[in-house]
Amino acid sequence: MQRGEDLLYYVGTHHKTGTAWMRQLHGSIAGRLGLPLVELVRTPDSRDPAKLDSTVQSIRAQRRGIVFDEHSCFAEVPKQLRMRGVHIIRDPRDVLISSTFYHLRASEPWLHRPLPQYDGKTYQEKLRSLGTIREAILLELGSLPTRVTLNEMRGFPKLATVPTINYESLMIGDVLAEFEAMFSSLGFSGEARRVALECARRESIVLNPARRRSPHVRSGEPQQWRQLFDRVLGDQFVAVAGDDLVALGYEPDDSWPEELPATRPALDEHLPIPDSERGFEADR
């Protein structure tokens, strides 16, 4: 087991799987334990062998710290260094819902670039121009960013030292036990373990109700899709991304839309347009 002063581990997330939350949590742990926080940012050359080798060598030389990979696209790092780590995924249906509402208001640069496929509108302008929630979700379902996120979740390699953790397990049930298991797998012991659990209690919107009352938290709830999807939308999801649900272990087959109501009037209500970017979101 590792002590605080010699910890070196990897945290991989994806868009809308708790990235901002996990960054805040592990940033707090790093600060308390005096560890460097190394953030790996996806770029066009992220998978270039020379870039990967340079990244691996830099982390190997550092020997300690928390390696945070917000798109889980640097899996070669824990693989080559045989580092312990965690890889966090989320139900693709909730990723879709969260992405839709986030992209309506976010200020990320790519959302504000004019695109020829939308007659010069930006992605956000196109999304906001739609009349209903259903139309917005369907646009998001077919969008490249969402497809990339689902492909990256599904494509992360199986590494014995980097178990996959479901976002939902950190939100429902015995959450503290899940954090304890996660920190154990990362090699925490003694004072480092105590500090990590203290940070988890403070940063979790489940364990710390004050976090849930923050104006910056939109929802973060698991299984939002059960309250929003109807059978029609469920069937459309299956046609586009049903294989992802099965591959990630969220459904045994494609029959789950049969349990949904035939129609959900709320889906065809007017799309709510936010006034501005609200900032941090629990499930970003």
Side-chain angles (χ1 to χ4, degrees), residues 154-155 275:
R154 182 175 176 176
D275 293 331

Side-chain angles (χ1 to χ4, degrees), residues 110-131:
W110 72 269
L111 288 166
H112 302 279
R113 296 190 187 110
L115 299 171
Q117 63 265 42
Y118 301 135
D119 298 323
K121 289 182 178 178
T122 68
Y123 183 80
Q124 188 173 92
E125 287 171 340
K126 177 62 177 178
L127 196 61
R128 289 184 172 202
S129 73
L130 300 174

Side-chain angles (χ1 to χ4, degrees), residues 10-12 83-89 156-166 181-182 184-186:
Y10 168 93
V11 180
M83 292 169 57
R84 295 188 185 194
V86 291
H87 168 233
I88 298 175
I89 64 171
F156 192 85
K158 294 186 182 302
L159 302 175
T161 58
V162 185
T164 292
I165 294 177
N166 290 2
M182 183 176 83
S184 177
S185 75
L186 290 171

Side-chain angles (χ1 to χ4, degrees), residues 1-3 7 9 26 29 84-86 161 163 165 176-190 192-194 196-197:
M1 298 291 282
Q2 295 174 303
R3 299 167 309 211
L7 275 166
Y9 66 90
H26 292 279
I29 293 171
R84 295 188 185 194
V86 291
T161 58
I165 294 177
L176 190 58
E178 289 295 328
F179 275 113
E180 287 184 307
M182 183 176 83
F183 293 135
S184 177
S185 75
L186 290 171
F188 285 85
S189 63
R193 186 189 188 95
R194 185 193 69 77
L197 286 171

Side-chain angles (χ1 to χ4, degrees), residues 4-65:
E5 61 267 26
D6 59 8
L7 275 166
L8 176 65
Y9 66 90
Y10 168 93
V11 180
T13 64
H14 300 274
H15 187 51
K16 312 314 294 179
T17 67
T19 298
W21 174 26
M22 288 295 110
R23 182 186 287 110
Q24 181 71 24
L25 169 59
H26 292 279
S28 294
I29 293 171
R32 290 282 301 277
L33 297 179
L35 296 170
L37 181 66
V38 182
E39 296 204 45
L40 303 181
V41 179
R42 182 174 61 191
T43 60
D45 64 346
S46 294
R47 299 184 189 279
D48 180 84
K51 170 75 171 179
L52 282 170
D53 184 64
S54 173
T55 301
V56 168
Q57 296 308 319
S58 175
I59 294 170
R60 178 179 281 126
Q62 192 158 281
R63 302 175 65 88
R64 58 193 296 274

